Amino acid sequence: MSCTSITILVFLLFTFTYLLFKLLLNPKQKTINHKKPPGPPPLPIIGNLHLLGTLPHRTLESLSKKYGPIMSFQLGQVPAIVISSSKVAESFLITNDMVFANRPNIIGAEIMSYGCKGMSFSKYGPYWRSVRKLCASKLLSPSKVEMFGPIRKEKLDVLVKSLENGSLVSEVVNVSEVVENLIEDIVYKMVLSRSKYDQFDLKRLVQQVMTLVGSFNLADYVPWLGAFDPQGLTRACKKTSKALDEVLETIITEHEQTTNNVDKASHEDFVDTLVTFMHQNIDDGSEQNHNIDGSNMKAILLDMIVASIDTSAATIEWALSELLRHPRVMKKLQDEIQNEVGNKRMVEEKDLKKLNYLDMVVDETLRLHPVSPLLLPRECRESITIDGYFIKEKTRVIVNALTIGRDPNIWSENAEEFYPERFINKKMNYEGHEEFESIPFGFGRRRCPGIQLGLRTVRFVLAQLVHCFNWKLPYNISPSNLNMDEKFGQSIHRAQHLHAIPIYRLEAHHKLQ
């Protein structure tokens, strides 16, 4: 008998046993008269998992049109609520933000994040507040965003020079790959002070982390399957985590040995900052003390690296894709930059504050292609009734940012179109209450703390690439038939890499300093 056949038989046996025990132990179980939101009828054991498909955010968008903006959805043994409108999201993420501030247990995050000691997946409480405060004030503050400006410029200069050389022979460039490599180089230099470690393939390991954490693990929703690990994801997570731990341990040790180097003060990286807090109390104002040890540091660093790379690269990739599909918008953006910068030099970060149409292009990209269309899930900390619906403690809350950003009631009948001009009279900062119609970075207590760093990177890279180059699609592709299919993961990337031909357009070739 094959391994697959044995797995199927074991699954059927446990399913039968589960149903039998449920029937025997609860023959006259009373139904509590609590009104639940409407939703598709669940199947035994798997609930509605069979409906998700390969692009869950699209499936849930479609189902919300039938069942409404607040929908019940059974994820195996885990009850869930799917939110698909800005009004309902406001009730959850602002009015009752404290109730829904928890993160659910996710096997991949538990393994990769040292027992969820990072900021993204840790439970709401004093420890999470302390870590967030540390990251926001010491790693992601406005002063840090400014301090790392020279790194962004240095790495982008190198890329522009490389693309300029390729343009001489009309080279077709894998734009997706080029952008991801650029963002990785920037992030590693900010976090680690160097782009690579010769003895480790850090980039490959981080990419594995992003893939594994973003993978759909059945054991998260049907807990008894965890003992069998039918998809092999738990084994893969443990293997990758062990290899990554060796790298992070080496990095931290190296930084500890150079902490007292007087030259470090002028270009302190994220690890240097965390090392200064090693074994110190990070007080959040409560009576509890939280010390930063090695596992805390590694979990926080991994959060910083993964979130910074995946989100920025995906946003730039989608923005360039939309600009190639809409030559009118591309020309208008290039004209704005040229009017402010001229065509004899590259864009500087100080120019960005004058580029209003660039902001509109980025806002429109984030509306149509939110970084993580299904925001990191939350978990209900206590039973509550909202809009007449009873939501039980431990219910998982999924906010579909994709649906919210494409709501025709908010964005009019052209909500599916890429039209940056819709933001002419709407300035987005993603951190105030007035922009709740588009929430690509989340909202409330658990929103992304690295918004300003991410936006600065996206705007600078995008401005530089469209200012220095005209971009043409390969000869067999036109703007109207450019494939825009998606690939599901923690962040949504293009299913097919974007390829284009750069044509250098500045009068005076930029000279690297």
Side-chain angles (χ1 to χ4, degrees):
M1 184 177 293
S2 70
C3 182
T4 302
S5 299
I6 294 173
T7 301
I8 293 173
L9 286 174
V10 170
F11 178 81
L12 292 174
L13 175 62
F14 270 88
T15 301
F16 174 76
T17 305
Y18 172 84
L19 292 172
L20 182 63
F21 269 90
K22 189 171 182 179
L23 180 65
L24 292 175
L25 294 177
N26 301 284
K28 297 180 181 180
Q29 187 179 30
K30 295 181 180 180
T31 302
I32 301 175
N33 188 25
H34 286 309
K35 184 180 179 182
K36 291 176 59 179
L43 296 177
I45 305 298
I46 64 171
N48 301 121
L49 289 176
H50 63 295
L51 298 177
L52 286 176
T54 56
L55 295 173
H57 57 298
R58 295 291 185 179
T59 300
L60 295 177
E61 178 188 31
S62 177
L63 288 171
S64 71
K65 294 175 182 177
K66 178 178 180 179
Y67 294 102
I70 177 170
M71 175 175 64
S72 291
F73 203 83
Q74 190 70 25
L75 298 168
Q77 305 304 297
V78 179
I81 298 293
V82 181
I83 299 169
S84 304
S85 83
S86 59
K87 183 178 179 181
V88 175
E90 188 171 352
S91 297
F92 280 78
L93 304 187
I94 294 182
T95 308
N96 297 287
D97 185 28
M98 181 77 79
V99 177
F100 299 100
N102 250 355
R103 293 285 190 224
N105 293 322
I106 297 174
I107 294 172
E110 179 76 22
I111 295 171
M112 297 290 191
S113 192
Y114 299 85
C116 293
K117 292 182 179 179
M119 183 170 48
S120 298
F121 293 100
S122 58
K123 294 287 186 181
Y124 178 76
Y127 173 75
W128 174 81
R129 288 194 297 269
S130 298
V131 172
R132 182 183 174 86
K133 182 179 178 181
L134 173 66
C135 292
S137 62
K138 302 298 182 181
L139 303 181
L140 300 167
S141 64
S143 62
K144 286 288 186 181
V145 174
E146 294 297 329
M147 189 181 80
F148 292 126
I151 292 175
R152 291 187 287 271
K153 182 181 185 305
E154 172 197 344
K155 298 298 181 181
L156 198 45
D157 282 355
V158 173
L159 174 60
V160 168
K161 191 63 181 177
S162 173
L163 292 174
E164 180 187 350
N165 292 335
S167 71
L168 297 175
V169 293
S170 298
E171 178 184 0
V172 177
V173 173
N174 185 332
V175 180
S176 299
E177 187 176 275
V178 161
V179 167
E180 184 168 292
N181 287 337
L182 168 68
I183 299 301
E184 284 179 335
D185 286 344
I186 291 173
V187 170
Y188 291 137
K189 193 68 185 255
M190 287 193 307
V191 177
L192 314 173
S193 285
R194 53 198 277 188
S195 298
K196 65 178 181 178
Y197 281 77
D198 292 334
Q199 68 271 43
F200 302 115
D201 190 350
L202 181 57
K203 288 186 179 182
R204 180 183 61 82
L205 288 172
V206 169
Q207 288 166 356
Q208 287 178 357
V209 170
M210 291 189 287
T211 299
L212 290 169
V213 173
S215 297
F216 186 85
N217 192 345
L218 279 172
D220 283 326
Y221 308 104
V222 186
W224 55 263
L225 281 177
F228 302 96
D229 190 21
Q231 299 159 277
L233 289 174
T234 300
R235 291 189 297 274
C237 284
K238 288 179 178 178
K239 181 179 179 181
T240 299
S241 180
K242 181 179 178 181
L244 188 61
D245 182 75
E246 294 179 16
V247 181
L248 295 174
E249 192 68 43
T250 299
I251 291 169
I252 291 171
T253 300
E254 178 184 276
H255 280 70
E256 285 179 319
Q257 292 171 350
T258 59
T259 297
N260 296 323
N261 188 332
V262 293
D263 294 331
K264 291 290 282 185
S266 61
H267 54 278
E268 186 180 72
D269 59 37
F270 281 5
V271 184
D272 294 322
T273 302
L274 284 176
V275 165
T276 63
F277 285 90
M278 190 73 134
H279 306 306
Q280 291 186 27
N281 174 40
I282 47 172
D283 184 23
D284 69 328
S286 70
E287 296 180 358
Q288 292 182 268
N289 295 325
H290 304 284
N291 292 324
I292 292 288
D293 61 18
S295 61
N296 300 115
M297 280 188 62
K298 287 180 279 191
I300 294 169
L301 283 175
L302 191 57
D303 259 8
M304 295 292 106
I305 292 172
V306 171
S308 299
I309 292 173
D310 213 22
T311 55
S312 297
T315 302
I316 296 167
E317 180 184 45
W318 285 116
L320 288 170
S321 299
E322 292 289 6
L323 289 171
L324 282 165
R325 291 179 71 227
H326 299 85
R328 175 195 69 84
V329 179
M330 175 74 89
K331 185 178 187 307
K332 189 170 180 178
L333 177 57
Q334 287 179 325
D335 288 347
E336 177 190 63
I337 299 173
Q338 184 161 322
N339 289 337
E340 292 292 341
V341 176
N343 61 354
K344 295 183 179 180
R345 69 173 177 90
M346 295 172 67
V347 177
E348 301 286 345
E349 286 199 14
K350 65 183 180 182
D351 301 315
L352 297 180
K353 60 186 177 183
K354 297 176 286 187
L355 304 177
N356 295 324
Y357 195 66
L358 172 67
D359 291 345
M360 296 179 207
V361 168
V362 172
D363 290 342
E364 181 71 341
T365 300
L366 289 169
R367 181 189 71 83
L368 276 178
H369 306 282
V371 175
S372 181
L374 299 181
L375 302 182
L376 284 179
R378 300 196 184 197
E379 186 178 77
C380 189
R381 301 172 68 212
E382 60 188 57
S383 297
I384 188 174
T385 299
I386 296 180
D387 294 343
Y389 296 119
F390 178 75
I391 300 169
K392 189 177 180 181
E393 181 184 1
K394 295 290 186 182
T395 296
R396 192 163 299 190
V397 177
I398 300 169
V399 180
N400 195 339
L402 177 97
T403 305
I404 291 172
R406 299 181 182 221
D407 185 349
N409 296 317
I410 300 294
W411 302 103
S412 78
E413 66 279 357
N414 71 342
E416 295 288 335
E417 296 178 22
F418 185 75
Y419 185 69
E421 285 78 4
R422 74 178 75 245
F423 288 100
I424 286 177
N425 297 313
K426 187 184 221 12
K427 185 69 175 177
M428 308 292 282
N429 64 29
Y430 303 106
E431 296 186 270
H433 289 198
E434 66 274 14
E435 299 85 19
F436 213 79
E437 297 91 347
S438 179
I439 51 173
F441 299 100
F443 222 76
R445 287 170 174 80
R446 301 305 297 239
R447 72 177 181 273
C448 172
I451 296 173
Q452 294 309 315
L453 178 61
L455 286 175
R456 178 70 66 88
T457 301
V458 168
R459 287 168 176 158
F460 187 39
V461 172
L462 187 61
Q464 202 73 282
L465 292 181
V466 302
H467 180 55
C468 293
F469 302 96
N470 287 317
W471 293 88
K472 292 198 312 181
L473 289 166
Y475 304 108
N476 59 336
I477 301 175
S478 66
S480 61
N481 67 12
L482 176 63
N483 188 306
M484 296 290 280
D485 290 346
E486 302 163 322
K487 178 176 65 175
F488 186 75
Q490 193 64 54
S491 295
I492 301 297
H493 288 264
R494 292 175 51 86
Q496 297 179 4
H497 279 189
L498 177 65
H499 291 81
I501 303 168
I503 303 167
Y504 195 75
R505 64 190 295 269
L506 300 189
E507 285 186 12
H509 285 202
H510 177 67
K511 301 296 183 182
L512 293 179
Q513 300 297 320

